[in-house]
Amino acid sequence: MKVGFVGLGQMGQAMAGRLLEAGHELTVYNRSRAAAELLAARGARVAGDPRRALDGEVVITMLADDSALEAVWITPGLVQKMPPSCVHLNMATVSLRMGKTLSSLHRAAGAGYVSAPVFGRPPVAAEGQLDIVAAGSSSAIERCQPLFAVLGARWFVAGVEPYLANVVKIARNFMLAALVESLGEALALARKSGVDPAVFLEIITGTSFDARYKQYGRRMVEKDFASTFPLKLGLKDVELALEAGADSGVPLPTASLIRDQHLAAIAHGFGDQDWSALGEYIARRAGL
Amino acid sequence: MKVGFVGLGQMGQAMAGRLLEAGHELTVYNRSRAAAELLAARGARVAGDPRRALDGEVVITMLADDSALEAVWITPGLVQKMPPSCVHLNMATVSLRMGKTLSSLHRAAGAGYVSAPVFGRPPVAAEGQLDIVAAGSSSAIERCQPLFAVLGARWFVAGVEPYLANVVKIARNFMLAALVESLGEALALARKSGVDPAVFLEIITGTSFDARYKQYGRRMVEKDFASTFPLKLGLKDVELALEAGADSGVPLPTASLIRDQHLAAIAHGFGDQDWSALGEYIARRAGL
Amino acid sequence: MKVGFVGLGQMGQAMAGRLLEAGHELTVYNRSRAAAELLAARGARVAGDPRRALDGEVVITMLADDSALEAVWITPGLVQKMPPSCVHLNMATVSLRMGKTLSSLHRAAGAGYVSAPVFGRPPVAAEGQLDIVAAGSSSAIERCQPLFAVLGARWFVAGVEPYLANVVKIARNFMLAALVESLGEALALARKSGVDPAVFLEIITGTSFDARYKQYGRRMVEKDFASTFPLKLGLKDVELALEAGADSGVPLPTASLIRDQHLAAIAHGFGDQDWSALGEYIARRAGL
Amino acid sequence: MKVGFVGLGQMGQAMAGRLLEAGHELTVYNRSRAAAELLAARGARVAGDPRRALDGEVVITMLADDSALEAVWITPGLVQKMPPSCVHLNMATVSLRMGKTLSSLHRAAGAGYVSAPVFGRPPVAAEGQLDIVAAGSSSAIERCQPLFAVLGARWFVAGVEPYLANVVKIARNFMLAALVESLGEALALARKSGVDPAVFLEIITGTSFDARYKQYGRRMVEKDFASTFPLKLGLKDVELALEAGADSGVPLPTASLIRDQHLAAIAHGFGDQDWSALGEYIARRAGL
C-alpha cells in the first residue's frame, strides 16, 4: 500500500521500519530531516514537506504530543488539504481535548480519519507486536487493517467517533499508573514489615490479577452487585492495611483514599452489595 | 491426621468439610454449637470446649476477626494449654498487630504456630482450590503440609516469623482494593466520555496486567531503574487522564494522588529513571 | 468547692494547680504517685485509691487517652461507685467511641456526667485561659461552672449528650491539622517559586482568615448558596495552584483532593452556586 | 493621573469607576464596547483600540484569564508598543506560567511592569477596600502607589520579580479553598454525629484561627521546631478524627491525606518536633 508517515521519533522510526519490511511503499516526513534519512536507506521516499505524505491511501501521524500535532498537522492546514482518496491514521497518544478537536476538524473537512493509539515501546513496535485501539468509521478502519496486521499483535475497535480510542488509551495508561503506585505501596509495606521483597513479589504474582480485572469489571459493566463479598468487608480489609501501615510507619495514600470511597459508598447504601459496587459509587460521584 | 478445627463460619465450614472428605479425623468447635452439628453428620467429633480441639497434631483456627480470636483463643489461655505435640495453624485474616501478638504469645509459651491466611471464598475452599500464604518454622510448616495439599491449589512460604504471612495477605488484599478502585475510576471516565463500557472492558482486559505486575515488581525489587519508559513520561500520561477527567467531569482521585507522587519523585531526582522508580520514592517516603 | 482530680500529667498538673490557687479543696490521684505529691505541697490531699476522689461535688478526670481512662476509671467500676452527690467532669480528649461509651455508662448508672475537653497547652491551663467545650445536662453543667470560671477564658455548651463535646473537640483539632497542612503546602509553593517565605507569611496573615471561616460557615449552616463567587471559579483557582505546583515541582496533595471534590460537586449541580456549596456536596457524600 | 484601563468585566468596571470618582483621567477599552460606554457616562474616554490606552502614566489590565490576556495584550504586540513613559499594571489573577511570560516579555521590551493581583469582589472594589499584592521594581511600584491608595485598603510588596505577586495570590487562594474544604468536612462530621451545626460554627469560630496561622507560620519560616506540641500527638488527633468519621459514616479525605503526611514526616524523624515541622516535611517532599 502507498502510505505517508509523519513523525519519526523512536516509535515512528520503529513502526515505519516495520511497514517498509512488510513491503509497503512509504513517503516519510520529519521536522528534523536526519530521522527521515535513516529510513531512506531502507527504501522510503523522504518528503521535504508533509503535504507530500498525503498522496497515498493512508497517512500515518506519530507526533510526540498535542503541540507537535498542532504545529505539523493542524496549523499548516493539512486536514483541509487531504485528498478524498486518503485516510488520516493518527497512532500517537493525544489528549482527549485534542482527540475531539481532530475528530471535528476532519468531519468538517470531509476527510477520512482514524484514531488508533498503540500500547508498546519501540522494540515491540519493530516486531509488529503492538496492541492497537482504533476508532473511526468502519470503511476508514477497513482501509487501515492491512497496516494494523503488520504493526499489531492485536487490535480493537473502540467505537465510531475517533476520539473514543483516545479515551481508552488514556484510561488504560491511568490504570497502569495505578498499578505501579499500588504495587509500590504494597512493596513498601511488605519490606518495612520484614517480608523479603522478592518473596513478596513471587507470592503476589503467583496468582492472577487478570482474572480479578475481568471479574470485577464484568460486574461493574452489567451492574450485577448481588453480593459474594460485600463492600463493607472490603472496607475492613482496607482498614487492616491502614493499621498495618501505621504500625510499620508506612504511608499508604491509595489505601487512605479507597477507605474514604468505601465510607461514602456505604453512606449511599452500597455496604451490603458486592465489592464491585464501589465502581457504581464512583460513577455516581461523576454524575453518571 | 487428627486435627482440631475451631471457628465454623462459612469459610470454616467449607474447609472443615473438605478435610473430612479427604479422610482427616476432625474435632470441631464453634461458639454457636449448631454450626458444629452440621459437620457431625459428616463424621466430625463435636467439642463443647475448644480445649478438646488441642489433642490432635494440628489445631486450625478460622475465627472471624481479632476480637473473636481474642475471646475464643487468647483470653481462655489456649496458647498456654497447647500440648507440645500440637501445632496451631491459624488460617484466618487478622490484623498485623494481632499477628505479632500471636507470634510472640506462642513463642513465649513454646507452642508450635503457623500463620497461613488464605485467598478464596467458601465455594473455592470447598473444592480445595484456595491460595495459601504460610509463615512459621520449617518443622511446623512441614507438619501442616498434608492439610495445605487438601485445602489449597497453591501454597507459598512468606518467612519464618508467622506474622509475615499476615503482612502478605493484608498487602495483597490492599492491592485488590486498589484494582477495584482504579478500574471503577477508569470505567467512569470511559462511560462519561462516551465509550461503551462493555467494549472498554473487553479492550483493557484483552491484554495482560499480570505481565506488568511482574515487570514493574521485578524492577522495584532489584532496584533496576535503567529507563525504558522514564517516570516523567508517566507523569505526562497521568496528566492526560486528569485533563480527560476534567473535560468529561469525572473526578479521578487515584490519578490525583499519583500525580503528586510523581511530582515528589521527580523533585527527588527520579524523573529520568524508569517508571518503576516510583516504588523507590514510595519506599523512601516510608523511611526505607 | 470540694473537688476530686484524677490524672496528673502536664495538663492535669497545671489545671489542678490553678484550682488550688483559686481556693478549691482538692483530692488528687495519679497512677504514679510522684506527680500527686507535687500538688500535696500546694495543699492537695493525695489519694492512694481513685475512689477517694469521688467524695466531692465534682470529680475531674484528665487521663491521657482511651486506654488510661479504661484502666483507671471504667475497669475498676468507678462509674458505678460514684455517689449521687458527685458529678464526673471529664476534661480530656477521648475518641468519639469512648465518648459515647462514657455517656451511656453514666446514664445507665444514674451518675452525673459532663464531658468538657479543652483547647490550650499546659502554660495556658496554668493561667486559667483555656477554651472549654462542655456537654451534659444543664444541672450537671451548672455544677461545673465555678470550675470553668477558674480554668477557662471562655466556655461553650455543645449540647445535652456529653459525647457531643468530644465531637466538637475532635472536629476542631482536625481543622487545625488541615490549617497546618495547607499552610505548609502554600509555603512550599511560595518558597520553591522564589517568594521570600517571611514576606509570604506577612502578606497572607495580613488579612483575616477568621472572617472567612465565619462567612463560609454561615452559608453552609444556613444553606445559603446564592452565588457571590461561584464554585466553578473556585475550581479555576485550585487549578491555577496545581499548575503552579507542577511548574515549580511542588506536590500539593490538598489542592489535588479539593479539585476532585469540586469536579464531583459540579457533576452534582453545584457549579453555579456559591463556593460554600462545596460543604453541601461534602455533606451529601456523607449521606446527609 | 492619566490612566489606561483595559478589561471591563465586573471587577474592572468597579475598579475603573472607583478611579474615576477619585479624579483620575481614564481611557478605557473593552472587547465588547458596551461595557466601556457605561463608564463614558461617568467621565471616561472610550478607546476603540487598546493602543489608545497606552498614552498615560499607567495602563491597568483586568482581563478575565490567560487567554483573554493573550488575545488582547500579547498577540497584538502591546508590550512592544508601550511608550517608555507608561507602566503596565496587571491586576488580574493569571497562571504562574503566564505571570512568568509577562515578566520576561516586558523585561525584553524594556517596558515597565507591575503585577498586582487583588483580593476582594466587585462591591469591595467599588469601595476601594481591596487587598493588593504587588511585585515589580521599586520605581514602577512607586508610580502605581496613588492608584493602590484609591483601590485598596491595604497593599503588600511580594518582591521585585513581577510574577512573585502571582505566586502569592495563587497560594493564598489555595489556602482559602483548603479552608472551605476542611470546614465542610468538619461540619459534616459534626452534623452527622448529632451536633447542631449552628452551635458547632459558633464554638469553632469563637476562638481565633488567625493566631494559629501566625504561630505555625512563624515556626515554619524560622524553622523553629522545638516542641511545644509534638507532631506525633498531632497524628493522634488526626486519627481520632478518622475514627469519629468511620463511626459516624463520614469520609474525611483531608484528614486521610494529613494522616499519611504525618506518617511520612515521622518516618523522616520529625515525630518529636513541633507540629509545625509538618511544613518542613512538606518542603522536603518538594525537593527544598
Side-chain angles (χ1 to χ4, degrees):
Chain A
M1 196 189 293
K2 207 172 161 194
V3 178
F5 204 113
V6 174
L8 298 165
Q10 289 186 42
M11 277 301 284
Q13 198 71 235
M15 290 164 69
R18 172 82 186 167
L19 291 169
L20 285 168
E21 281 166 21
H24 292 290
E25 193 182 331
L26 257 63
T27 301
V28 299
Y29 171 80
N30 197 58
R31 281 189 285 182
S32 62
R33 197 184 172 97
E37 298 294 353
L38 291 172
L39 287 163
R42 300 169 71 182
R45 185 169 63 126
V46 175
D49 183 316
R51 264 184 295 176
R52 293 291 175 86
L54 304 183
D55 63 357
E57 291 175 61
V58 173
V59 55
I60 297 174
T61 52
M62 197 65 203
L63 294 154
D65 53 26
D66 284 18
S67 64
L69 206 78
E70 188 85 40
V72 175
W73 191 259
I74 297 179
T75 308
L78 296 192
V79 177
Q80 291 74 22
K81 287 170 187 153
M82 276 179 60
S85 54
C86 183
V87 164
H88 177 196
L89 171 60
N90 177 24
M91 303 191 81
T93 295
V94 297
S95 73
L96 176 54
R97 203 168 299 169
M98 175 55 86
K100 289 184 173 176
T101 300
L102 287 169
S103 292
S104 54
L105 280 177
H106 286 81
R107 193 185 313 109
Y113 178 52
V114 170
S115 181
V118 300
F119 292 99
R121 296 173 186 177
V124 175
E127 291 171 19
Q129 293 297 308
L130 296 169
D131 287 315
I132 301 169
V133 179
S137 72
S138 55
S139 62
I141 285 185
E142 203 176 340
R143 173 84 64 83
C144 301
Q145 278 193 38
L147 306 176
F148 294 163
V150 169
L151 294 169
R154 269 165 300 215
W155 63 278
F156 305 91
V157 176
V160 170
E161 278 295 334
Y163 72 80
L164 296 176
N166 303 112
V167 173
V168 173
K169 166 75 175 170
I170 288 167
R172 191 175 189 278
N173 275 353
F174 154 62
M175 289 176 71
L176 292 179
L179 184 163
V180 173
E181 172 73 24
S182 65
L183 178 59
E185 293 184 26
L187 261 171
L189 176 60
R191 277 175 64 190
K192 204 166 174 192
S193 305
V195 179
D196 180 316
V199 168
F200 178 73
L201 184 64
E202 197 199 325
I203 297 175
I204 58 160
T205 58
T207 55
S208 175
F209 286 93
D210 284 342
R212 298 306 192 102
Y213 281 101
K214 280 174 191 157
Q215 167 196 343
Y216 295 125
R218 184 197 63 75
R219 282 176 166 276
M220 288 182 196
V221 168
E222 298 177 6
K223 305 201 179 193
D224 167 17
F225 304 130
S227 175
T228 60
F229 181 73
L231 194 146
K232 67 186 175 194
L233 288 188
L235 174 59
K236 196 188 123 193
D237 279 341
V238 174
E239 290 190 325
L240 287 177
L242 288 167
E243 275 177 50
D247 283 356
S248 299
V250 179
L252 298 171
T254 301
S256 293
L257 95 77
I258 294 174
R259 178 179 178 276
D260 288 317
Q261 297 282 71
H262 278 75
L263 286 175
I266 291 168
H268 285 78
F270 292 109
D272 292 314
Q273 297 196 28
D274 187 74
W275 206 9
S276 51
L278 192 70
E280 191 60 18
Y281 168 71
I282 291 166
R284 292 205 191 160
R285 192 174 181 226
L288 285 164
Chain B
M1 196 189 292
K2 208 171 160 194
V3 178
F5 205 113
V6 174
L8 298 165
Q10 288 185 42
M11 277 300 284
Q13 197 71 236
M15 290 164 71
R18 174 80 185 170
L19 290 169
L20 286 169
E21 280 166 20
H24 292 290
E25 192 182 333
L26 258 64
T27 302
V28 300
Y29 171 80
N30 197 57
R31 281 189 285 183
S32 62
R33 196 181 171 100
E37 299 294 353
L38 291 172
L39 287 163
R42 298 170 71 181
R45 186 169 63 125
V46 176
D49 182 316
R51 262 184 294 176
R52 293 291 175 85
L54 304 182
D55 63 356
E57 290 175 62
V58 173
V59 56
I60 297 175
T61 52
M62 198 66 203
L63 294 154
D65 53 26
D66 284 19
S67 64
L69 206 77
E70 188 86 39
V72 174
W73 191 259
I74 296 179
T75 308
L78 296 192
V79 177
Q80 291 74 22
K81 287 168 186 152
M82 276 179 59
S85 53
C86 183
V87 165
H88 177 197
L89 172 60
N90 177 24
M91 302 191 79
T93 294
V94 297
S95 73
L96 175 54
R97 201 168 300 169
M98 175 55 87
K100 288 184 173 175
T101 299
L102 287 169
S103 292
S104 53
L105 280 178
H106 286 81
R107 193 185 314 109
Y113 178 53
V114 171
S115 181
V118 300
F119 292 99
R121 295 174 188 179
V124 176
E127 290 170 18
Q129 294 296 310
L130 296 169
D131 287 315
I132 300 169
V133 179
S137 71
S138 54
S139 62
I141 286 185
E142 202 176 341
R143 174 83 64 83
C144 301
Q145 277 194 39
L147 306 176
F148 294 164
V150 170
L151 294 169
R154 268 166 301 217
W155 63 278
F156 306 91
V157 176
V160 170
E161 278 294 334
Y163 72 81
L164 297 176
N166 302 112
V167 173
V168 173
K169 165 75 176 170
I170 289 168
R172 191 175 189 278
N173 275 354
F174 154 62
M175 290 177 71
L176 292 179
L179 184 163
V180 173
E181 173 72 26
S182 64
L183 178 58
E185 292 184 25
L187 261 171
L189 177 60
R191 278 175 65 189
K192 205 167 174 191
S193 305
V195 180
D196 180 315
V199 169
F200 178 73
L201 185 64
E202 197 198 327
I203 297 176
I204 56 160
T205 57
T207 55
S208 175
F209 286 93
D210 284 343
R212 297 307 192 101
Y213 281 102
K214 281 174 190 157
Q215 167 196 343
Y216 295 125
R218 185 197 62 75
R219 282 177 166 276
M220 289 182 197
V221 168
E222 299 177 4
K223 307 201 178 194
D224 167 17
F225 305 129
S227 176
T228 59
F229 181 74
L231 193 146
K232 66 187 175 194
L233 288 188
L235 174 59
K236 196 188 123 193
D237 279 342
V238 174
E239 290 190 326
L240 287 177
L242 288 167
E243 275 177 50
D247 283 357
S248 298
V250 178
L252 298 172
T254 301
S256 292
L257 94 78
I258 293 174
R259 178 179 179 276
D260 288 317
Q261 297 282 72
H262 279 75
L263 285 175
I266 290 168
H268 285 79
F270 293 108
D272 292 314
Q273 298 196 27
D274 187 75
W275 205 8
S276 51
L278 192 70
E280 190 60 19
Y281 168 71
I282 291 167
R284 291 205 192 161
R285 192 175 181 225
L288 284 164
Chain C
M1 196 191 291
K2 206 173 161 193
V3 178
F5 204 112
V6 174
L8 298 165
Q10 288 185 43
M11 277 301 284
Q13 197 72 234
M15 290 163 71
R18 173 82 185 167
L19 291 170
L20 286 167
E21 280 166 21
H24 292 289
E25 191 183 333
L26 257 64
T27 301
V28 300
Y29 171 80
N30 197 58
R31 281 191 285 184
S32 63
R33 196 182 172 100
E37 299 294 352
L38 292 172
L39 288 163
R42 299 170 70 183
R45 183 170 64 126
V46 175
D49 182 315
R51 263 184 294 176
R52 293 290 176 84
L54 305 183
D55 63 356
E57 290 176 63
V58 173
V59 56
I60 297 175
T61 52
M62 198 64 202
L63 294 153
D65 52 26
D66 285 18
S67 63
L69 206 77
E70 186 86 39
V72 174
W73 191 260
I74 297 179
T75 308
L78 297 192
V79 177
Q80 291 75 21
K81 287 168 186 151
M82 276 179 60
S85 54
C86 182
V87 164
H88 177 196
L89 171 60
N90 177 24
M91 302 191 80
T93 294
V94 297
S95 72
L96 176 53
R97 201 168 302 169
M98 175 54 86
K100 288 184 174 176
T101 299
L102 287 169
S103 292
S104 54
L105 281 177
H106 287 80
R107 193 186 312 109
Y113 177 54
V114 170
S115 180
V118 300
F119 292 99
R121 296 176 186 175
V124 177
E127 290 169 21
Q129 293 297 309
L130 296 170
D131 287 315
I132 300 169
V133 179
S137 71
S138 53
S139 62
I141 285 184
E142 202 175 341
R143 173 84 64 85
C144 302
Q145 278 193 38
L147 306 176
F148 294 163
V150 170
L151 295 169
R154 266 164 303 215
W155 62 278
F156 306 92
V157 176
V160 170
E161 278 294 334
Y163 72 81
L164 296 176
N166 303 111
V167 173
V168 173
K169 165 75 176 170
I170 288 168
R172 191 175 189 277
N173 275 354
F174 153 63
M175 289 177 71
L176 292 179
L179 184 163
V180 174
E181 172 72 26
S182 64
L183 178 59
E185 293 184 25
L187 260 172
L189 177 60
R191 278 175 64 189
K192 205 167 173 191
S193 305
V195 180
D196 181 314
V199 169
F200 178 73
L201 185 63
E202 196 198 326
I203 297 175
I204 57 160
T205 57
T207 55
S208 175
F209 287 92
D210 284 342
R212 298 306 192 101
Y213 281 101
K214 280 175 191 154
Q215 166 195 345
Y216 296 126
R218 185 199 60 75
R219 282 177 166 275
M220 289 183 197
V221 168
E222 297 176 6
K223 305 200 179 194
D224 167 16
F225 304 129
S227 176
T228 59
F229 180 73
L231 192 145
K232 67 188 176 193
L233 288 188
L235 174 59
K236 196 187 122 193
D237 279 342
V238 174
E239 290 190 326
L240 287 177
L242 288 166
E243 276 176 49
D247 284 356
S248 299
V250 179
L252 299 172
T254 301
S256 292
L257 96 78
I258 293 173
R259 178 179 179 275
D260 288 317
Q261 297 282 71
H262 278 76
L263 285 175
I266 291 168
H268 285 78
F270 293 108
D272 292 314
Q273 298 196 27
D274 187 74
W275 205 8
S276 51
L278 191 70
E280 190 60 20
Y281 168 72
I282 291 167
R284 291 205 191 159
R285 191 174 182 227
L288 284 164
Chain D
M1 195 189 292
K2 207 174 161 193
V3 178
F5 204 113
V6 175
L8 299 164
Q10 289 186 42
M11 277 301 285
Q13 197 72 234
M15 290 163 70
R18 173 82 186 168
L19 290 169
L20 286 168
E21 282 166 18
H24 292 288
E25 192 182 332
L26 258 62
T27 302
V28 301
Y29 170 80
N30 197 58
R31 281 189 286 183
S32 63
R33 198 182 170 99
E37 298 295 353
L38 291 172
L39 287 163
R42 300 170 72 182
R45 184 170 63 125
V46 175
D49 183 314
R51 262 184 296 176
R52 293 289 176 85
L54 304 183
D55 62 358
E57 291 176 62
V58 173
V59 56
I60 298 174
T61 52
M62 197 65 202
L63 294 153
D65 52 27
D66 284 17
S67 63
L69 206 77
E70 187 85 41
V72 174
W73 191 261
I74 297 179
T75 308
L78 295 192
V79 177
Q80 292 75 22
K81 287 168 187 154
M82 276 179 60
S85 55
C86 183
V87 165
H88 177 195
L89 172 59
N90 177 23
M91 302 191 81
T93 294
V94 297
S95 73
L96 176 53
R97 202 168 300 169
M98 175 54 88
K100 288 184 174 176
T101 298
L102 287 169
S103 291
S104 53
L105 280 176
H106 287 80
R107 194 186 312 109
Y113 178 54
V114 170
S115 180
V118 301
F119 292 98
R121 296 174 187 177
V124 176
E127 291 170 19
Q129 293 297 309
L130 295 170
D131 287 315
I132 301 170
V133 179
S137 71
S138 54
S139 63
I141 286 185
E142 203 176 340
R143 173 84 64 83
C144 302
Q145 278 192 40
L147 305 176
F148 295 163
V150 170
L151 295 168
R154 269 166 298 216
W155 63 277
F156 306 92
V157 176
V160 171
E161 280 294 333
Y163 72 81
L164 295 176
N166 303 111
V167 173
V168 173
K169 166 74 176 171
I170 289 168
R172 191 176 188 278
N173 275 353
F174 153 63
M175 289 176 70
L176 292 179
L179 184 163
V180 173
E181 172 73 25
S182 64
L183 178 59
E185 294 185 24
L187 260 171
L189 176 60
R191 277 174 65 190
K192 204 167 175 192
S193 305
V195 180
D196 181 314
V199 168
F200 178 73
L201 185 64
E202 196 198 327
I203 297 175
I204 57 160
T205 58
T207 55
S208 174
F209 287 93
D210 284 343
R212 299 305 192 104
Y213 281 101
K214 281 174 191 156
Q215 166 195 345
Y216 296 126
R218 185 198 61 74
R219 282 177 166 276
M220 288 182 197
V221 168
E222 298 177 6
K223 306 201 179 195
D224 167 17
F225 303 129
S227 175
T228 60
F229 181 73
L231 192 146
K232 67 188 176 193
L233 288 188
L235 173 59
K236 195 188 124 193
D237 279 342
V238 175
E239 290 191 327
L240 287 178
L242 288 167
E243 275 176 49
D247 283 356
S248 299
V250 179
L252 298 171
T254 301
S256 292
L257 94 77
I258 293 173
R259 178 179 178 276
D260 288 317
Q261 298 282 71
H262 278 75
L263 286 175
I266 290 168
H268 284 79
F270 293 108
D272 292 315
Q273 298 195 28
D274 187 75
W275 205 9
S276 51
L278 192 71
E280 191 60 19
Y281 168 71
I282 291 167
R284 291 204 192 161
R285 191 174 181 225
L288 284 164

